[in-house]
Structures are given as C-alpha cells and as structure tokens.
Amino acid sequence: MQNLTLTWQTAGGASAALFGAAYAVKRANRLPAATVLREAGTLLALFALWQLVGHLSLVSPDHALDRADWIHRTELRLGFPDEAAWQRAVTPHAWLIAASNYYYATMHFAVMIALLVWVFARHRERYSWVRTTVVLTTAACLTIQFIPVAPPRMLPGNGFVDVAAEYGQSVYGGAVGGVVADQLSAMPSVHVAWCVIVAVAVVKVARGPWRWLVVLHPLLTVFVVVVTANHFWADGLVAVALLLIAYLVQHAFSGWRSGGQGDAGGIREAEPQRTSVGG
C-alpha cells in the first residue's frame, strides 16, 4: 500500500508551473481560475517540502532510534500510558489492525484534501484562514523533522510491532516513482496536526449539530497512530502545540495589521457572524 507518487523535484516543478499559470491567467482577467491554480501550487509546494525533508537532515540519522527510545522512556517516567501496551491489547483483533493500517495510509491526505476543497468551494471567505493554518503548522512540523526521530514500530526491544509490515499494508516498504517514504520523521506527528486542523475548521465553519461528528476523526487518528506504532503520545502533543502557535501567530498578525482593533483576522474570517457558526 503506497500513498506517495511524486518526488520533491517533480512536485516543486509542478508547483512552479502552477504558479506561473496562475499569473498568466490572472493577467488575462480570469481571476477564479487563477485562484484555483495558485492554491494548487501552494499545496504542491508544501508537498515538495515534505518530500525534501525525507532526503535531508540537519544531523546524522544514526541516533534516530536512540531519540525514539528516550521519548518512550521519558513518557513512562512521566506516567503516560504505554503505547506498547495499547498495541498489545489490539493485535489479537486482526480486522481492527488491518482497518487501522488502512486508515493511517489513506485518511491523512484524503480528509485534508476534502476539507480544503469543501471550504474553497462553499466557504471561500474562510479558506485563507484554513490554508494558512495548514501551511504554518505543516512547515513548523517539517522543520523539526529535519532532526531524525524513529517511530515506535522500529523499537521491537521496547515491545512494539510493525503491524503494517506484518499485514502487507506498509506505506514504507518500497518506492513509487523512485520515492521512498521517510521513516525517521515521527516527531512531531503531521497526522495528528492535520486531523485537529480538520476538526477545528469544520466546527468553526459548518452549521448545525452534525458538524461535531468531525471530532471522531482526531480521536480515531490518535488511536490509529498509537496502535500501529507510528507515533508516540509526545509526537501528537508537540504537533498540537505547534498548531496552537500557528493560531496565535495568525491572531497576532491580524491584530498588527488592523492596528490592534477587533478580533484576529483568521478567527474573524472563520467566524464573520456569531450566528453563522452557532448552528
């Protein structure tokens, strides 16, 4: 099972081409088409950065396993639930492990793309807030990931099992188009960051009580990344902290632009009228 199809060079080139096309179309006064091309180029540029992190690092990958082991031991000393124990409780249920592997491999990108398309098409005035949150948070996560940290599944001595490899569902087992997914970018968890972004955006933008069902997505994602041994609790906590910083940065920047008057632009954009979000 693979979810990677582009190298960072291909994604970067495609992003540049889309930005160029957006500029040309804008000059032709086709503003809606230019906007679509620009946003597609932005997302491809972010994908290219993610791929680049898989090829570069600020330090040697030699101690990635040691860093992961330190995180696990530190969590246990602080009283966190042992992720290995959670995994052992689930492994007897083959259907649940297979479903968790599939959720991990497919829903990460699928749900985020669906969110961006929905907000862009149906709530354009709120789109820049959502997109900026995704870009800031992902870039912050990727910056930290230049320091290699192994995922729990690479620590069999700590009681973890690579269940995706055992079930033939690993996204890390081979290459597509010459791309091998980076296995040493576990800290922080972009999976967790994105699922929380999705939940917050839907709750802020949508109307009606059904929007709260989206909270199931981060709950399922956290469960999945733990029982598949792809992330520690700490990976998710750091990701959420970076997301909160991204929200604060947008709030501060909007306050600076408006001279300190009113709410943050991102929040104001996401909630132009209190009644429109209350449902």
Side-chain angles (χ1 to χ4, degrees):
M1 182 186 299
Q2 293 286 343
N3 61 2
L4 301 175
T5 57
L6 294 174
T7 64
W8 70 267
Q9 297 97 328
T10 302
S15 174
L18 285 170
F19 280 124
Y23 177 78
V25 170
K26 184 178 180 180
R27 291 293 299 270
N29 293 321
R30 302 291 183 88
L31 295 182
T35 301
V36 172
L37 291 170
R38 185 190 68 232
E39 295 303 328
T42 300
L43 296 178
L44 267 178
L46 195 63
F47 182 86
L49 177 61
W50 175 61
Q51 289 286 43
L52 181 60
V53 170
H55 294 269
L56 303 175
S57 64
L58 295 178
V59 296
S60 168
D62 293 343
H63 298 289
L65 292 173
D66 295 333
R67 297 183 189 99
D69 180 66
W70 179 85
I71 291 173
H72 189 217
R73 289 185 286 105
T74 301
E75 285 184 343
L76 295 179
R77 283 199 299 269
L78 293 175
F80 282 72
D82 187 1
E83 295 93 343
W86 277 52
Q87 188 184 50
R88 286 194 299 271
V90 174
T91 48
H93 308 285
W95 68 271
L96 186 54
I97 289 295
S100 297
N101 288 332
Y102 190 79
Y103 199 97
Y104 176 83
T106 61
M107 299 301 285
H108 177 54
F109 284 107
V111 175
M112 177 55 73
I113 291 172
L115 170 75
L116 293 172
V117 170
W118 169 67
V119 176
F120 185 84
R122 300 293 300 273
H123 303 278
R124 186 72 57 85
E125 74 282 359
R126 298 169 171 88
Y127 179 80
S128 64
W129 170 64
V130 177
R131 183 249 295 131
T132 302
T133 302
V134 174
V135 170
L136 290 178
T137 306
T138 307
C141 288
L142 295 181
T143 300
I144 295 175
Q145 287 176 357
F146 275 106
I147 300 176
V149 178
R153 56 187 167 76
M154 298 181 71
L155 297 175
N158 294 47
F160 295 102
V161 178
D162 190 343
V163 291
E166 286 194 352
Y167 281 66
Q169 296 177 296
S170 177
V171 297
Y172 304 101
V176 172
V179 181
V180 177
D182 180 29
Q183 301 198 54
L184 302 179
S185 299
M187 167 63 80
S189 171
V190 177
H191 272 74
V192 172
W194 278 18
C195 71
V196 176
I197 289 173
V198 168
V200 172
V202 171
V203 169
K204 294 293 290 185
V205 173
R207 298 174 179 146
W210 289 103
R211 73 190 192 278
W212 291 100
L213 288 176
V214 74
V215 175
L216 292 175
H217 179 51
L219 294 177
L220 285 172
T221 299
V222 171
F223 172 81
V224 161
V225 300
V226 169
V227 301
T228 59
N230 279 292
H231 288 290
F232 294 108
W233 303 114
D235 302 338
L237 291 174
V238 172
V240 172
L242 293 174
L243 172 58
L244 292 175
I245 292 172
Y247 286 138
L248 289 174
V249 167
Q250 291 184 87
H251 181 92
F253 183 73
S254 177
W256 172 75
R257 289 185 63 186
S258 62
Q261 300 295 320
D263 297 327
I267 302 300
R268 184 171 60 248
E269 184 178 31
E271 191 177 3
Q273 297 179 358
R274 185 173 298 274
T275 55
S276 68
V277 188

